[in-house]
Amino acid sequence: MATETARSKRWLAHPFMSAIIAVSWLLLQQSFAVPQLITATVLALLLPRVLAGFLGPQVKVSSWATVVRFAGIVLWDIVVSNITVAKIVLNPAREPQPAWVPVSLDIRHPNGIALLATIITTTPGTVSCVIDEDRHEILVHALDCSDPAAMAQDIKNRYERPLREIFE
């Protein structure tokens, strides 16, 4: 606990988050002018420090190559899912088969589980509804799913496996 408190007192308690905050600010402002650079720096230093008690310990990423590859997979899946959902919605003759899909979780890292739930919810056509910590399971609602077992296996292979590489 003492080291966690000491870490939260450091100016760069969460350096990766600081970088994301600074870059996000500059992108939102669409400017690299000196005032925007100063504001980005101040926000990047202060926000993680102020929020350190809520953020928990800093995450140590074990494989940056996996992070980059995984980001590409997730972005691709979001694009493909948008097209698929648009086809379902725009075709009145198409009758989707909604399903509840339980996905057993092998990942135990809380940030990995939260990121998995976020990815599932961000991908059109699916929503993560419940994370059952006792049963190590996440319940996913799919807009159109003819084979729940295959969908669960796909989630495990495409998302959970890389997240385990990154977080564990």
Side-chain angles (χ1 to χ4, degrees):
M1 185 73 171
T3 57
E4 188 175 320
T5 305
R7 183 177 293 151
S8 68
K9 298 278 186 205
R10 292 187 341 204
W11 278 105
L12 285 174
H14 293 274
F16 186 68
M17 181 176 291
S18 293
I20 289 173
I21 290 169
V23 169
S24 297
W25 178 263
L26 293 171
L27 289 172
L28 287 169
Q29 298 305 311
Q30 298 179 0
S31 170
F32 288 103
V34 173
Q36 297 309 329
L37 291 171
I38 292 169
T39 304
T41 302
V42 169
L43 289 173
L45 291 174
L46 289 180
L47 285 177
R49 185 177 165 117
V50 169
L51 299 173
F54 297 106
L55 299 175
Q58 179 181 343
V59 174
K60 303 262 191 263
V61 174
S62 60
S63 172
W64 283 102
T66 303
V67 170
V68 171
R69 197 170 49 252
F70 183 59
I73 290 169
V74 171
L75 290 173
W76 175 256
D77 286 353
I78 289 172
V79 170
V80 170
S81 295
N82 270 301
I83 293 167
T84 303
V85 169
K87 287 179 182 178
I88 291 170
V89 171
L90 296 174
N91 183 355
R94 175 85 194 266
E95 292 188 28
Q97 298 174 329
W100 290 100
V101 181
V103 180
S104 65
L105 297 177
D106 297 322
I107 191 169
R108 298 292 185 253
H109 195 286
N111 291 346
I113 293 170
L115 187 53
L116 176 62
T118 300
I119 290 166
I120 290 169
T121 301
T122 305
T123 307
T126 56
V127 178
S128 59
C129 292
V130 177
I131 299 172
D132 189 337
E133 293 179 23
D134 295 333
R135 293 174 47 184
H136 301 290
E137 185 176 87
I138 187 168
L139 187 60
V140 178
H141 182 267
L143 174 66
D144 188 24
C145 178
S146 59
D147 187 355
M151 181 180 203
Q153 193 59 45
D154 195 40
I155 289 171
K156 291 184 73 57
N157 290 337
R158 292 186 69 79
Y159 304 136
E160 186 187 28
R161 183 176 293 142
L163 285 172
R164 286 184 67 198
E165 286 180 37
I166 293 166
F167 287 101
E168 296 179 354

